[in-house]
Amino acid sequence: MLKRNNLLVASAAVVATSLVSLPAQAGVKLKDEKSGIVVDLGGRLQVQTLFNDDDFIQNNDTEFKVRRARFRLGIAPHPWWKMFLQTDFSNEAGTGSGGDVRLIDANITFKPHNLSQIVGGLHMAPVARQNLTSSGGLMAIDRPGITNYVLTWGLNGRARFNNSTLPGTNSGSVGDVAVRDLGLTLFGSGSASDTLHYKYYLGVADGSTKRQGDDNRFSVRAQLNYGDAEPGYFGLSTYLGKKQTIGVGIGYDTQDSIAAQGGTGGADVDYTFITIDAFADWPVGPGFVTAEAAYSTLDLNDATNPLVATPGEPSTDVNADQSQGDGLYVQAGYLINNWQPWIGYEQWDADAANNAGDWDGFRVGVSYFFKGHNANVKLGYEKISNDTPGEVDIDTILLGAYITY
């Protein structure tokens, strides 16, 4: 009986590897032999301590934070079908020890073939590489702050290892801050040869819903890899020596009429975001080098004071010209044994006058992996220089513990 149970568990683990497209996870995977249904249960916890020198943001000198606390459930009742649910708890700055648990993912994937997969429901819209990087597999503690200039991520810059919105960069409610979006994505991945691989995304979603209208959000992304493939919907920002790959990608994201310039009777304000990115994870000497870079541009029709008209709420005047602009980030790390020192730089140049909305950031740190992305600790220092209001530097030291299962 014991041998039979071990065989069932081993079989379930093999079958369930395609259940959820998040590579930085383990989880409990079970298969009901009678029905053939595969179930995946897991979670993620990231706790952080931040030491701040940022009177500009008005936080305490030392802050203890639950960055992410997630439970996930995946069910595959048929080889072509799977569902995915994920909750998250987050105590943002100023909320004390409490917080809300909310549903952040709720989607169904129909997968008759690797080249034709349809994801429907609440999920991550396909735009930039970092938008499609698992939060359990980030290298420089968290995503670059310019990742949040994408629609539904806030259309703003972020500081303190992506824990706080930078004042002077916030376009307010022009972009719904929900990160995920509700819609459909056609996704596929394949190989042209043993060393050349590709994947594509075509998405349509609700996008920003702050203004009444029938305009949807449309996203397109394509990616090529040389070496090993990155076949899943999501990827990692470091594979810790498990892959040898070089990838390039391009993304395009757009939605019409997300706001009105100068009031509800003014000209429409449209949104367009374009990005190109490159990634490499390759053996060099006794270890592995990981490098990543991206350039992005955001267009909001040169809007200066769009008014966002939400039914039942007062119109909100926001400074969109401090968001519109372009920026880049680069980051690199070197894995040797279980240690990975890393470094990163990013900047955003807004189109507003007098350098309003301009900022740049520098990060450096080191990670120690007890069990890869499933159990590790990270220590990092970040310096953000923000030109609005005034020229103010924000210094943060962060120590965090990370578990994904």
Side-chain angles (χ1 to χ4, degrees), residues 119 141 153 168 170 172 176 258 306 331 335 343 365 368:
V119 183
I141 293 184
W153 285 58
N170 191 4
D176 297 346
I258 64 172
Q331 59 184 30
L335 178 73
I343 190 171
Y368 182 79

Side-chain angles (χ1 to χ4, degrees), residues 43-350:
R44 177 170 302 154
L45 181 60
Q46 299 177 355
V47 295
Q48 301 174 344
T49 301
L50 294 88
F51 306 94
N52 306 298
D53 182 13
D54 58 357
D55 294 336
F56 183 46
I57 293 183
Q58 301 293 320
N59 282 315
N60 297 327
D61 291 339
T62 303
E63 179 187 354
F64 302 97
K65 185 178 183 70
V66 176
R67 181 64 175 90
R68 296 176 179 92
R70 298 180 176 177
F71 292 101
R72 73 173 189 276
L73 169 66
I75 298 177
H78 183 275
W80 288 10
W81 293 91
K82 59 186 176 183
M83 59 158 276
F84 181 61
L85 299 174
Q86 184 171 219
T87 63
D88 189 30
F89 163 90
S90 179
N91 64 325
E92 295 296 332
T95 61
S97 60
D100 295 325
V101 176
R102 59 192 179 94
L103 188 67
I104 60 171
D105 290 289
N107 55 75
I108 291 176
T109 298
F110 174 62
K111 182 183 177 182
H113 192 277
N114 287 337
L115 285 173
S116 56
Q117 308 173 44
I118 299 176
V119 183
L122 187 62
H123 66 291
M124 200 75 77
V127 187
R129 180 181 180 92
Q130 279 291 324
N131 300 126
L132 298 171
T133 297
S134 168
S135 62
L138 301 171
M139 183 175 66
I141 293 184
D142 214 290
R143 297 182 176 93
I146 72 168
T147 304
N148 299 274
Y149 283 100
V150 173
L151 188 71
T152 71
W153 285 58
L155 297 177
N156 54 42
R158 299 274 286 180
R160 299 170 67 244
F161 291 97
N162 217 325
N163 275 292
S164 299
T165 298
L166 270 170
T169 71
N170 191 4
S171 63
S173 55
V174 169
D176 297 346
V177 185
V179 180
R180 273 76 169 172
D181 210 340
L182 190 61
L184 291 172
T185 298
L186 175 63
F187 165 68
S189 65
S191 300
S193 68
D194 291 341
T195 57
L196 184 61
H197 316 279
Y198 57 88
K199 59 182 178 180
Y200 73 92
Y201 306 78
L202 299 172
V204 57
D206 285 343
S208 178
T209 58
K210 290 294 185 179
R211 189 175 185 224
Q212 288 181 314
D214 298 326
D215 297 295
N216 290 117
R217 175 189 187 182
F218 296 94
S219 305
V220 180
R221 177 171 171 82
Q223 182 175 316
L224 291 175
N225 282 83
Y226 171 79
D228 292 332
E230 296 182 276
Y233 193 95
F234 291 89
L236 306 179
S237 61
T238 176
Y239 286 97
L240 304 179
K242 304 300 183 182
K243 285 184 182 290
Q244 298 180 33
T245 188
I246 298 173
V248 293
I250 185 168
Y252 178 83
D253 192 32
T254 187
Q255 183 178 357
D256 291 340
S257 304
I258 64 172
Q261 169 69 18
T264 55
D268 286 343
V269 175
D270 301 330
Y271 154 86
T272 300
F273 184 91
I274 301 173
T275 182
I276 182 170
D277 50 73
F279 174 82
D281 214 337
W282 207 261
V284 176
F288 276 77
V289 167
T290 298
E292 182 178 339
Y295 168 81
S296 304
T297 178
L298 170 64
D299 183 5
L300 295 171
N301 291 145
D302 299 320
T304 55
N305 63 329
L307 294 182
V308 181
T310 303
E313 299 181 11
S315 296
T316 305
D317 191 354
V318 296
N319 296 319
D321 58 341
Q322 295 184 17
S323 292
Q324 178 177 287
D326 64 284
L328 60 84
Y329 73 83
V330 293
Q331 59 184 30
Y334 187 74
L335 178 73
I336 182 166
N337 297 324
N338 293 327
W339 294 93
Q340 187 183 56
W342 43 264
I343 190 171
Y345 172 80
E346 61 182 310
Q347 70 174 46
W348 188 262
D349 295 322

Side-chain angles (χ1 to χ4, degrees), residues 24-42:
Q25 64 184 30
V28 177
K29 299 178 177 70
L30 302 173
K31 179 181 179 182
D32 184 333
E33 288 297 311
K34 185 175 180 179
S35 66
I37 295 176
V38 179
V39 178
D40 171 36
L41 294 170

